[in-house]
Amino acid sequence: MNLVDDLLLAGNVALAIECLTRSIKENARSKDVNLACFCLTKLWDLARESDVNKRAIISGAFTVDVIVETMKQFNELSCEIERIGCGLLWSLSMMVENRPLIVEKEGIEAILNAQLRYKNDLQLQIMGMGALKVLSFDTRAKDVMLRKFGTDVVALIMNEHTFDATIQSDGCVIIGNCAVDEGGNFSEATRVYEREIEAVLAGMTAHEGSLLLSKRLFFP
């Protein structure tokens, strides 16, 4: 993929993104794990560099579709691709204006499926929880999480990684955000259940000395 490096050196980020997206699409049939990892990692690196790059990735034709579809295709084949995909969606979601498109293109479903497939992979779970945490501040994203039993998945992951403070704190933010409506009120539509409450309490018990966790538990 020397062409991508040459394009980036020339400052042509948009064309480099187009090249990476096209390469991933063309790889769909052969399912070359190494090529998919390379392309997604390049996109992730670009997203982390600047908000300008995040906008370029989001505005690229079919780029978000390709990211999500790749995560679906490789879900059972590669934990690394799922991990990179979650990290990339997390980076893109850091911009508020990017969140609706990620939700529309089923980015939340892709993250939840990755988390369920690789429950024991700590780094993937950190990436996934980080992405869901940011997305949980979006009203449409909360609706999707509730419909797809996302808080149930979050509680499951919290129980799998009880002693990781990052997962516990992010999980508490997600559950807290999903428990209230747009006006910050509790309602039947945003109701959380026993499993989620138990996960929050377990997080509090395991990290009772953590001031950061305590703040996120009560002030998500």
Side-chain angles (χ1 to χ4, degrees), residues 11 13-14 17 46-59 92 95 97-98:
V13 175
I17 291 168
L46 286 169
R48 286 182 289 183
E49 280 182 10
S50 69
D51 287 349
V52 172
N53 288 352
K54 289 182 179 70
R55 291 190 186 94
I57 293 169
I58 280 287
S59 62
L92 295 174
M95 297 187 68
E97 60 264 38
N98 291 348

Short mmCIF file of all heavy atoms in Angstrom, two decimals, residues 11 13-14 17 46-59 92 95 97-98:
data_model
loop_
_atom_site.label_atom_id
_atom_site.label_comp_id
_atom_site.label_asym_id
_atom_site.label_seq_id
_atom_site.Cartn_x
_atom_site.Cartn_y
_atom_site.Cartn_z
N GLY A 11 -0.10 15.11 1.17
CA GLY A 11 -1.16 15.87 1.84
C GLY A 11 -2.54 15.62 1.27
O GLY A 11 -3.49 16.35 1.60
N VAL A 13 -5.21 13.70 1.85
CA VAL A 13 -5.84 12.79 2.80
C VAL A 13 -7.13 12.19 2.24
O VAL A 13 -7.38 10.99 2.40
CB VAL A 13 -6.14 13.52 4.13
CG1 VAL A 13 -6.92 12.62 5.10
CG2 VAL A 13 -4.84 13.97 4.78
N ALA A 14 -7.94 13.00 1.58
CA ALA A 14 -9.23 12.53 1.06
C ALA A 14 -9.03 11.38 0.07
O ALA A 14 -9.76 10.38 0.11
CB ALA A 14 -9.98 13.67 0.41
N ILE A 17 -7.94 8.24 1.90
CA ILE A 17 -9.10 7.60 2.54
C ILE A 17 -9.92 6.83 1.51
O ILE A 17 -10.35 5.70 1.75
CB ILE A 17 -9.97 8.66 3.25
CG1 ILE A 17 -9.23 9.22 4.46
CG2 ILE A 17 -11.31 8.07 3.67
CD1 ILE A 17 -9.87 10.45 5.06
N LEU A 46 -5.32 8.06 11.15
CA LEU A 46 -5.73 9.35 10.60
C LEU A 46 -6.79 10.01 11.49
O LEU A 46 -6.73 11.21 11.75
CB LEU A 46 -6.30 9.16 9.19
CG LEU A 46 -5.29 8.88 8.07
CD1 LEU A 46 -6.00 8.45 6.80
CD2 LEU A 46 -4.42 10.11 7.81
N ALA A 47 -7.74 9.22 11.96
CA ALA A 47 -8.81 9.76 12.81
C ALA A 47 -8.25 10.35 14.10
O ALA A 47 -8.72 11.38 14.59
CB ALA A 47 -9.83 8.67 13.13
N ARG A 48 -7.22 9.70 14.65
CA ARG A 48 -6.65 10.18 15.90
C ARG A 48 -5.76 11.40 15.72
O ARG A 48 -5.46 12.10 16.69
CB ARG A 48 -5.85 9.05 16.58
CG ARG A 48 -6.76 8.00 17.21
CD ARG A 48 -5.97 6.92 17.92
NE ARG A 48 -5.26 6.05 16.98
CZ ARG A 48 -4.54 4.99 17.33
NH1 ARG A 48 -4.43 4.68 18.61
NH2 ARG A 48 -3.94 4.25 16.42
N GLU A 49 -5.36 11.67 14.48
CA GLU A 49 -4.48 12.80 14.23
C GLU A 49 -5.18 14.15 14.37
O GLU A 49 -4.62 15.11 14.88
CB GLU A 49 -3.87 12.69 12.83
CG GLU A 49 -2.68 11.73 12.76
CD GLU A 49 -2.10 11.69 11.36
OE1 GLU A 49 -2.49 12.55 10.52
OE2 GLU A 49 -1.27 10.80 11.10
N SER A 50 -6.42 14.23 13.87
CA SER A 50 -7.09 15.54 13.88
C SER A 50 -8.58 15.41 13.62
O SER A 50 -9.04 14.42 13.04
CB SER A 50 -6.48 16.47 12.82
OG SER A 50 -6.82 16.00 11.52
N ASP A 51 -9.33 16.45 14.02
CA ASP A 51 -10.75 16.50 13.71
C ASP A 51 -10.99 16.67 12.22
O ASP A 51 -12.00 16.21 11.69
CB ASP A 51 -11.41 17.66 14.47
CG ASP A 51 -11.56 17.37 15.96
OD1 ASP A 51 -11.33 16.21 16.37
OD2 ASP A 51 -11.89 18.31 16.71
N VAL A 52 -10.06 17.33 11.55
CA VAL A 52 -10.17 17.49 10.09
C VAL A 52 -10.19 16.12 9.42
O VAL A 52 -11.01 15.86 8.52
CB VAL A 52 -9.00 18.34 9.54
CG1 VAL A 52 -9.01 18.34 8.01
CG2 VAL A 52 -9.09 19.76 10.07
N ASN A 53 -9.31 15.24 9.87
CA ASN A 53 -9.28 13.89 9.32
C ASN A 53 -10.54 13.10 9.67
O ASN A 53 -11.05 12.32 8.86
CB ASN A 53 -8.06 13.13 9.82
CG ASN A 53 -6.76 13.63 9.19
OD1 ASN A 53 -6.78 14.44 8.27
ND2 ASN A 53 -5.64 13.17 9.71
N LYS A 54 -11.05 13.30 10.89
CA LYS A 54 -12.30 12.62 11.27
C LYS A 54 -13.42 13.02 10.32
O LYS A 54 -14.22 12.19 9.88
CB LYS A 54 -12.68 12.99 12.71
CG LYS A 54 -11.80 12.37 13.79
CD LYS A 54 -12.31 12.76 15.18
CE LYS A 54 -11.49 12.15 16.30
NZ LYS A 54 -10.14 12.74 16.41
N ARG A 55 -13.50 14.33 10.02
CA ARG A 55 -14.55 14.79 9.10
C ARG A 55 -14.35 14.20 7.70
O ARG A 55 -15.33 13.83 7.04
CB ARG A 55 -14.52 16.32 9.02
CG ARG A 55 -14.97 17.02 10.29
CD ARG A 55 -15.16 18.51 10.08
NE ARG A 55 -15.44 19.19 11.34
CZ ARG A 55 -14.51 19.77 12.10
NH1 ARG A 55 -13.23 19.77 11.71
NH2 ARG A 55 -14.86 20.35 13.23
N ALA A 56 -13.11 14.10 7.28
CA ALA A 56 -12.82 13.55 5.95
C ALA A 56 -13.22 12.08 5.87
O ALA A 56 -13.76 11.62 4.85
CB ALA A 56 -11.33 13.71 5.63
N ILE A 57 -12.99 11.34 6.94
CA ILE A 57 -13.35 9.92 6.96
C ILE A 57 -14.87 9.76 6.94
O ILE A 57 -15.42 8.97 6.18
CB ILE A 57 -12.75 9.22 8.20
CG1 ILE A 57 -11.22 9.16 8.08
CG2 ILE A 57 -13.32 7.80 8.36
CD1 ILE A 57 -10.52 8.72 9.35
N ILE A 58 -15.55 10.53 7.79
CA ILE A 58 -17.01 10.45 7.86
C ILE A 58 -17.66 10.85 6.54
O ILE A 58 -18.66 10.27 6.11
CB ILE A 58 -17.54 11.34 9.01
CG1 ILE A 58 -17.38 10.63 10.34
CG2 ILE A 58 -18.98 11.73 8.79
CD1 ILE A 58 -18.36 9.49 10.58
N SER A 59 -17.11 11.86 5.88
CA SER A 59 -17.72 12.36 4.66
C SER A 59 -17.34 11.54 3.43
O SER A 59 -17.91 11.73 2.35
CB SER A 59 -17.31 13.83 4.43
OG SER A 59 -15.90 13.93 4.27
N LEU A 92 -13.97 8.33 15.80
CA LEU A 92 -14.90 9.11 14.97
C LEU A 92 -16.05 9.67 15.80
O LEU A 92 -16.54 10.77 15.54
CB LEU A 92 -15.44 8.23 13.84
CG LEU A 92 -14.42 7.75 12.81
CD1 LEU A 92 -15.06 6.78 11.83
CD2 LEU A 92 -13.79 8.93 12.06
N MET A 95 -16.49 13.30 17.84
CA MET A 95 -17.11 14.50 17.30
C MET A 95 -18.61 14.33 17.31
O MET A 95 -19.14 13.38 16.71
CB MET A 95 -16.59 14.78 15.88
CG MET A 95 -15.10 15.06 15.82
SD MET A 95 -14.57 15.59 14.18
CE MET A 95 -15.36 17.20 14.09
N GLU A 97 -21.06 15.70 15.84
CA GLU A 97 -21.77 15.67 14.56
C GLU A 97 -21.61 14.35 13.81
O GLU A 97 -22.36 14.05 12.87
CB GLU A 97 -21.32 16.83 13.66
CG GLU A 97 -19.83 16.83 13.32
CD GLU A 97 -19.02 17.72 14.25
OE1 GLU A 97 -19.34 17.76 15.46
OE2 GLU A 97 -18.08 18.37 13.76
N ASN A 98 -20.62 13.53 14.21
CA ASN A 98 -20.41 12.24 13.55
C ASN A 98 -21.31 11.13 14.09
O ASN A 98 -21.51 10.11 13.44
CB ASN A 98 -18.95 11.80 13.71
CG ASN A 98 -17.98 12.66 12.93
OD1 ASN A 98 -18.40 13.46 12.09
ND2 ASN A 98 -16.70 12.52 13.20
#
